[in-house]
Amino acid sequence: MTLLEPKTIGAPVARLDGRAKVTGAAPYAFEHLVDGPAYLHPIQSTIARGQVAAIDVSPARAVDGVLDVLTVFDAPKLADTSDGELSILQDDRIYFRGQIIGGVVAETAEIARHAAGLVHVMYTEESHDVELTVDHPGLYTPEQVNPSYPSDTDEGDVDAALASAEVTVDQTYSTPIEHNNPMEPHACIAMWTTRNERTSVTLYDSTQGVHAVRKALAPVFGLEPDQVRVIAPHVGGGFGSKGRPHAHNVLALLAAQRSGGRPVKLALTRQQMFSLVGYRTPTIQRIRLGAQRDGTLTALAHEVVEQTATVTEFAEQTAVTSRKMYAAPNRRTAHKLAALDVPVPFWFRAPGECPGTFAAEVAMDELAVACGVDPIELRVRNDPEVDPETGNPWSGRHLVECLRLGAERFGWESRDPRPAQHLSGDWCVGLGVASATYPAMQMPGNTARITYAAEGRYLVQIGAADIGTGTWTTLTQIAADALGCDVAAVELQIGDSALPDASVAGGSSGINSWGRAIVAAARQFRRDHGDPPAVGATTVAEAPENPDAEKFTMQSFGAHFVEAMVNRDTGEIRVPRMLGVFSIGRAINARTLRSQLIGGMTMGLSMALHEESVRDPRFGHVVTQDFATYHISAHADVPDIDAIWLDEVDEHTNPMGSRGAGEIGIVGSAAAVVNAVYHATGVRVRDLPVTLDKVLAGLP
């Protein structure tokens, strides 16, 4: 693989879209200017399972300004109802509380919301099941886990190795429901027009992938993909929840289908997002480790119980990281699901890797304590020379370097190995560490178009997405280096399904996948047109297959260091310092990279100490539906946070030498916090979040 010669790649180039965003000129989904829009508000079920017996919409229709009311009894029929989450309003069945059973269209958003509240729904209610337990009678093994991993693996003789191990750890860890809460709520504008018997649909959507939305929604409505255009130049965060269309998109298109060509605008409320756009499944994880007295692993078993929905299956890959992180000759991983009467779980930043690494890295800390070995040294001793799962060499595994560098920067040498030994006034102080890894994913089907638009000006087009991560800037840098020109000479166009195909912004795969397509197009452009080219010269090229993809295991790695302070009287927890050291290949943009890493680390802190959605089993709904009750970390929760990375290039991943860094920042972060709290207090909390009552319960 021929690598690019970096000129602008790696530099901390300021965001090219920054001025537009801070001045309000960058349009988000709900803000696009359309003529005479109507406004839509969903009607949601208030039971968790049963049937809609009748709906009285007359009070809503009587409100001045109401234009239409859709219900399960009169909505347009969908052409494809195979996706249970998307096939709304097609029958009277209720699968979870909060399910969309109708919608009100009105002249203003306020009128639509008011009228929706006047609709009276009568139900035939059935008993529901919404509680995940480790012994749920309906547990089953899915065929595979997200995105396409085998559900279970078993190598060697785990049971025999555990039985003969000199030291063992056998603990259960749990993580609660967590909800994606991007700053921009899910929103869209749907436009449905029919001229000369041909339907044309335009959807302004807050999405992580315009082509993914088009491919998913077109067959639902019996349309060809070229009849649907999805536009999303700016997206205010997604964290996975905007990686596919959800039921609200279908509702907007159903309403637009009957609006006579009038655009229909829909923005979900913060409360509605807690039942309609996915969440991280709760997990119950049993981890068993067997080791020699010096901490060398001989056996590892990671078994997970999690939930899915009855209407659509989603199986999170919680145990997969344990297949690769450490060397152990005997390894077992397993996933079991309970299909409950709940909304469909979905991607939440580093799905699987994040909750699975929390449990695994806390278990490793417990093993270090049991063996009397320093937690960093334990990880170094178990660092595998090759991928334990496939036997492939690593494209670049530098976990040990991350651990060593972080220990030096963080002052690890002063750490007393004994817990609950360091007091600062009324505060117990401790240090914790955890490892991290995340796959360097590369998605297929990415194409770029390059045009020499004018003297000294290149137009680069690809249907990628910028979800707030800096894609507008980083892809421009890649294009400039690939074309051998200045950043100012490149005009980038993204966020439109009318542009060449691009994969979803997810799995830390965006730059790896889109950048490869742009480099391929730039190199083909030079072969086709030379330098300088003629004005108007154009080349379209698809990203080639990576010849090293099957020869090497490509993963990013990292090490998290946390200082925790716990008040010995109240159990309150403070985190004054966090440091992350990462191996992510070559940095594309130092400024946006650091932002991604510390953002992920902060989300891990939030997972460790705050985030928890609480479902009321009596009624089936999440009761923590706003930021007053669903707590997230703020700036004040970590005064000193820093992220650094190794100076390296991965020669096997892509021409840029990068591996992606959108998610590795959150992987392992929560475990480092939990391990620091243990070191400060001697109290081991295995059920997130770590709240003061759990700490106080363990204090003498």
Side-chain angles (χ1 to χ4, degrees):
M1 183 180 299
T2 304
L3 295 176
L4 283 179
E5 287 293 330
K7 295 179 181 178
T8 64
I9 286 179
V13 176
R15 289 176 183 256
L16 301 180
D17 56 334
R19 179 175 293 274
K21 286 185 173 178
V22 299
T23 59
Y28 291 85
F30 198 74
E31 299 173 330
H32 287 273
L33 298 178
V34 293
D35 293 331
Y39 295 83
L40 172 63
H41 194 86
I43 302 168
Q44 296 174 269
S45 69
T46 56
I47 66 169
R49 183 179 178 86
Q51 287 179 283
V52 178
I55 300 180
D56 182 5
V57 300
S58 55
R61 289 191 179 278
V63 175
D64 188 29
V66 168
L67 304 172
D68 193 9
V69 181
L70 297 87
T71 74
V72 296
F73 299 115
D74 64 5
K77 293 301 177 185
L78 299 174
D80 182 353
T81 58
S82 59
D83 188 320
E85 183 184 3
L86 299 182
S87 58
I88 60 168
L89 307 191
Q90 301 304 291
D91 58 45
D92 58 7
R93 290 296 307 168
I94 301 296
Y95 297 96
F96 60 89
R97 179 160 175 158
Q99 176 183 323
I100 293 176
I101 57 173
V104 175
V105 183
E107 293 289 355
T108 70
E110 293 78 9
I111 294 173
R113 184 169 185 169
H114 169 65
L118 300 178
V119 173
H120 181 57
V121 184
M122 289 143 279
Y123 301 97
T124 302
E125 192 168 1
E126 301 170 9
S127 61
H128 58 262
D129 179 11
V130 299
E131 291 188 271
L132 178 67
T133 58
V134 72
D135 57 352
H136 191 283
L139 288 178
Y140 69 96
T141 300
E143 291 186 8
Q144 63 183 26
V145 293
N146 177 65
S148 57
Y149 295 109
S151 294
D152 298 351
T153 59
D154 203 338
E155 298 183 30
D157 191 335
V158 172
D159 295 329
L162 287 169
S164 62
E166 295 177 327
V167 181
T168 59
V169 170
D170 185 349
Q171 296 292 348
T172 298
Y173 307 86
S174 70
T175 60
I177 304 169
E178 294 180 284
H179 274 88
N180 317 59
N181 271 291
M183 186 178 296
E184 178 200 19
H186 289 244
C188 61
I189 305 174
M191 302 170 66
W192 186 294
T193 58
T194 301
R195 293 189 181 91
N196 300 322
E197 299 184 351
R198 177 173 172 80
T199 295
S200 175
V201 171
T202 299
L203 186 70
Y204 296 96
D205 191 26
S206 183
T207 176
Q208 294 173 225
V210 290
H211 286 280
V213 171
R214 182 173 72 169
K215 291 172 185 176
L217 292 182
V220 171
F221 288 88
L223 302 172
E224 295 298 321
D226 64 358
Q227 293 177 263
V228 180
R229 183 181 180 188
V230 182
I231 301 172
H234 301 284
V235 180
F239 311 115
S241 67
K242 296 176 182 176
R244 63 159 287 166
H246 296 287
H248 70 283
N249 296 109
V250 177
L251 180 65
L253 287 168
L254 287 171
Q257 202 172 347
R258 318 202 304 199
S259 71
R262 190 171 179 179
V264 175
K265 303 181 75 168
L266 167 60
L268 294 183
T269 66
R270 184 65 59 183
Q271 291 75 20
Q272 289 168 342
M273 287 172 56
F274 280 79
S275 58
L276 291 175
V277 296
Y279 56 93
R280 195 192 297 282
T281 176
T283 69
I284 304 169
Q285 306 177 52
R286 184 188 182 191
I287 295 187
R288 290 175 289 164
L289 303 177
Q292 299 173 10
R293 178 57 59 186
D294 67 355
T296 302
L297 284 169
T298 58
L300 184 156
H302 190 167
E303 296 159 314
V304 183
V305 172
E306 54 199 28
Q307 75 184 36
T308 186
T310 58
V311 68
T312 298
E313 181 184 275
F314 176 80
E316 189 151 319
Q317 69 276 28
T318 305
V320 296
T321 294
S322 290
R323 300 171 185 175
K324 294 183 179 296
M325 181 66 92
Y326 299 115
N330 306 284
R331 290 176 294 115
R332 177 186 301 150
T333 63
H335 298 82
K336 289 191 179 300
L337 296 180
L340 304 179
D341 302 314
V342 295
V344 182
F346 193 53
W347 301 342
F348 186 124
R349 202 171 196 173
E353 288 86 1
C354 177
T357 299
F358 152 70
E361 287 297 301
V362 174
M364 285 294 286
D365 200 67
E366 300 203 51
L367 180 63
V369 172
C371 293
V373 176
D374 179 82
I376 292 178
E377 184 59 32
L378 180 79
R379 289 164 170 82
V380 173
R381 291 179 186 178
N382 290 286
D383 192 60
E385 294 184 1
V386 297
D387 179 357
E389 186 175 27
T390 65
N392 285 344
W394 306 99
S395 69
R397 179 177 174 119
H398 303 289
L399 174 59
V400 173
E401 292 93 319
C402 293
L403 288 164
R404 298 291 194 208
L405 179 59
E408 178 184 346
R409 293 283 187 96
F410 208 66
W412 189 263
E413 73 284 348
S414 64
R415 176 184 182 271
D416 190 320
R418 299 169 299 171
Q421 296 299 308
H422 185 191
L423 283 176
S424 177
D426 293 329
W427 296 85
C428 307
V429 183
L431 301 183
V433 67
S435 300
T437 188
Y438 196 82
M441 295 185 188
Q442 300 176 20
M443 300 300 181
N446 286 275
T447 302
R449 180 189 299 120
I450 296 179
T451 302
Y452 194 56
E455 289 295 334
R457 299 290 301 172
Y458 294 89
L459 176 63
V460 178
Q461 298 171 304
I462 184 170
D466 191 328
I467 58 175
T469 54
T471 301
W472 280 103
T473 308
T474 51
L475 287 188
T476 301
Q477 290 177 262
I478 291 170
D481 281 3
L483 290 165
C485 65
D486 294 334
V487 166
V490 175
E491 178 189 349
L492 179 71
Q493 292 183 355
I494 62 173
D496 190 332
S497 64
L499 301 174
D501 281 355
S503 54
V504 169
S508 300
S509 68
I511 293 301
N512 292 345
S513 306
W514 310 325
R516 288 172 63 243
I518 288 175
V519 172
R523 289 173 172 172
Q524 187 62 46
F525 182 88
R526 288 293 182 228
R527 289 191 290 268
D528 292 345
H529 307 294
D531 188 12
V535 172
T538 298
T539 290
V540 179
E542 185 176 353
E545 292 188 5
N546 184 350
D548 290 344
E550 301 301 321
K551 302 175 184 177
F552 295 86
T553 295
M554 303 175 187
Q555 300 264 142
S556 289
F557 293 90
H560 292 276
F561 295 82
V562 169
E563 179 181 43
M565 301 178 66
V566 182
N567 190 286
R568 59 181 179 176
D569 296 319
T570 67
E572 294 171 86
I573 301 169
R574 299 288 182 266
V575 176
R577 288 193 298 148
M578 296 181 76
L579 171 66
V581 184
F582 301 96
S583 166
I584 44 79
R586 175 181 280 155
I588 302 299
N589 183 306
R591 186 180 306 202
T592 58
L593 170 58
R594 183 176 184 274
S595 176
Q596 281 294 286
L597 293 174
I598 65 173
M601 292 166 63
T602 306
M603 288 184 73
L605 171 68
S606 195
M607 174 185 184
L609 300 183
H610 302 298
E611 294 190 46
E612 180 181 23
S613 293
V614 179
R615 192 177 301 280
D616 188 331
R618 299 170 301 170
F619 307 110
H621 69 303
V622 167
V623 297
T624 47
Q625 293 186 358
D626 53 42
F627 289 144
T629 50
Y630 184 85
H631 295 165
I632 59 175
S633 287
H635 290 80
D637 287 314
V638 53
D640 183 0
I641 184 170
D642 197 11
I644 59 176
W645 50 92
L646 305 182
D647 184 12
E648 59 172 323
V649 177
D650 193 322
E651 298 179 355
H652 303 287
T653 51
N654 54 58
M656 300 84 70
S658 62
R659 280 199 298 267
E663 280 153 299
I664 194 170
I666 193 175
V667 177
S669 178
V673 174
V674 170
N675 294 339
V677 169
Y678 168 78
H679 184 241
T681 63
V683 178
R684 181 73 70 182
V685 178
R686 301 183 181 94
D687 305 304
L688 293 184
V690 183
T691 50
L692 58 87
D693 57 312
K694 296 173 185 176
V695 174
L696 288 174
L699 288 175

